[in-house]
Amino acid sequence: ARIDGVPINLRSHGHGQGYLDLNFLIPELVATSRYRKGTYRAAQGDFSTAGSVDFSSYDRLPERIAQLTIGEFGYGRALVAGSLETAAGTFTGAIDATRYDGPWELEENLEQYKLQGSYLMELGDNRLRLGYRGYRSDWDATDQVPRRAVASGRIDRLGFLDPDLGGSTERHEMTVDLAGDGWQAGAYAVSYDFTLFSNFTYFLDNPADGDEFEQRDERLYWGLWGDAVREAELAGRPLLLRWGGELRTDDIDAVGLYLTTARQQRETVREDRIEERSAAAWGEAELALGNV
């Protein structure tokens, strides 16, 4: 998955290779979502075996938005978004805050904050856009519970056994992209922090301290990308040529798995420092054999 050319999947992640978290997106600022099935497009690389999606943000919002939504189980969301025309270009921004407890006996205590802004400028026949996205989320989690504990009446169906599960995540993204007639290119830098506390077996492995564990990922990743498209003819038939490339570096300061009790680390299962770089180039030709 990508948003405005920026890859979202995280490789060598503490929770799983290719981990994807879309919670930082503000849906009202997404202009288009382009889905592709399978690995049938040359432009799609890692993590596109099942399919891929490219999100594009609004350059200008069609209208200003001010919303306050209140629902059951402590749900509340406030959103303010809009575009402002200036002499040099267009500023588009949004602030989004969400609070939710959920139906669980152990309240979820979800607090989620998002901030997004972009500035669009016309440079002759080209378009330059500068962007920022910020996201922070904290929550508690009931997680899965044993069926036998519910059947015996020890806990309710929405009850819990470990009160310390949950986590937090934070993401900050800076982007710049330039687009012209049939081509576009961009650069990005993303700071990301993730902590998750889980407990799948409770007291099976450690009856004294419990089986709770922490997954951790802290990284900075950045890169460059570009692509182009040209229309041509071959034997009188329309021919569409596409090509592009990208560079990416993941500087992962800490990716680890720890045994914990009440969210306090007591043993390190594994902790790594990773620096991962990649370069890619692609091209494809699409020839129309029938009438279009």
Side-chain angles (χ1 to χ4, degrees):
R2 297 173 183 270
I3 174 69
D4 297 329
V6 180
I8 306 174
N9 292 83
L10 298 172
R11 53 198 186 184
S12 304
H13 190 272
H15 190 53
Q17 167 74 352
Y19 180 71
L20 177 66
D21 182 359
L22 297 177
N23 283 291
F24 71 91
L25 292 179
I26 300 177
E28 288 82 358
L29 267 63
V30 175
T32 61
S33 303
R34 179 176 296 178
Y35 290 89
R36 299 180 179 91
K37 181 180 179 182
T39 56
Y40 308 120
R41 290 288 183 178
Q44 308 305 315
D46 287 357
F47 316 122
S48 66
T49 302
S52 63
V53 56
D54 286 337
F55 298 101
S56 297
S57 300
Y58 278 106
D59 291 331
R60 298 176 178 85
L61 282 172
E63 59 184 8
R64 294 179 181 175
I65 304 171
Q67 292 181 351
L68 178 62
T69 307
I70 298 175
E72 293 182 303
F73 307 117
Y75 178 81
R77 183 190 183 216
L79 171 67
V80 178
S83 294
L84 177 65
E85 301 290 341
T86 70
T90 304
F91 172 78
T92 299
I95 300 174
D96 184 342
T98 299
R99 178 78 171 81
Y100 184 54
D101 287 331
W104 323 106
E105 218 173 85
L106 176 68
E107 292 184 349
E108 190 169 341
N109 292 320
L110 172 69
E111 293 186 2
Q112 193 176 79
Y113 304 99
K114 308 175 189 180
L115 177 65
Q116 182 172 334
S118 66
Y119 197 73
L120 179 71
M121 295 173 282
E122 303 293 336
L123 301 178
D125 294 331
N126 302 324
R127 183 208 69 186
L128 175 68
R129 180 172 60 182
L130 307 174
Y132 167 79
R133 288 185 182 86
Y135 166 68
R136 170 79 190 190
S137 182
D138 298 274
W139 68 94
D140 296 323
T142 295
D143 221 324
Q144 63 275 344
V145 294
R147 177 180 293 180
R148 64 181 182 276
V150 177
S152 67
R154 180 178 178 184
I155 61 172
D156 184 75
R157 183 173 63 89
L158 300 177
F160 64 96
L161 291 177
D162 188 339
D164 301 310
L165 308 184
S168 64
T169 184
E170 189 168 348
R171 185 183 189 276
H172 299 277
E173 170 192 298
M174 298 289 293
T175 60
V176 56
D177 58 80
L178 184 65
D181 183 17
W183 64 272
Q184 57 183 346
Y188 60 88
V190 181
S191 171
Y192 173 82
D193 196 290
F194 169 91
T195 301
L196 181 66
F197 295 93
S198 304
N199 194 339
F200 298 152
T201 51
Y202 294 100
F203 294 96
L204 179 65
D205 296 328
N206 191 326
D209 298 317
D211 298 349
E212 182 184 295
F213 61 93
E214 174 188 357
Q215 293 165 299
R216 182 90 175 90
D217 191 285
E218 181 182 355
R219 75 177 65 202
L220 176 66
Y221 72 99
W222 63 89
L224 306 170
W225 62 271
D227 58 63
V229 59
R230 288 291 183 272
E231 294 181 356
E233 283 190 4
L234 179 64
R237 293 293 184 182
L239 177 66
L240 194 62
L241 302 173
R242 303 185 186 92
W243 66 93
E246 65 176 59
L247 301 172
R248 174 174 170 177
T249 295
D250 285 62
D251 187 1
I252 308 173
D253 188 58
V255 54
L257 175 65
Y258 313 91
L259 301 182
T260 60
T261 301
R263 296 197 178 189
Q264 299 299 311
Q265 294 181 7
R266 68 173 191 269
E267 183 181 337
T268 298
V269 177
R270 176 161 184 164
E271 184 178 73
D272 296 281
R273 169 80 170 84
I274 302 173
E275 197 163 308
E276 190 171 1
R277 299 183 179 91
S278 65
W282 62 271
E284 65 179 14
E286 184 177 316
L287 179 65
L289 299 178
N291 294 324
V292 294

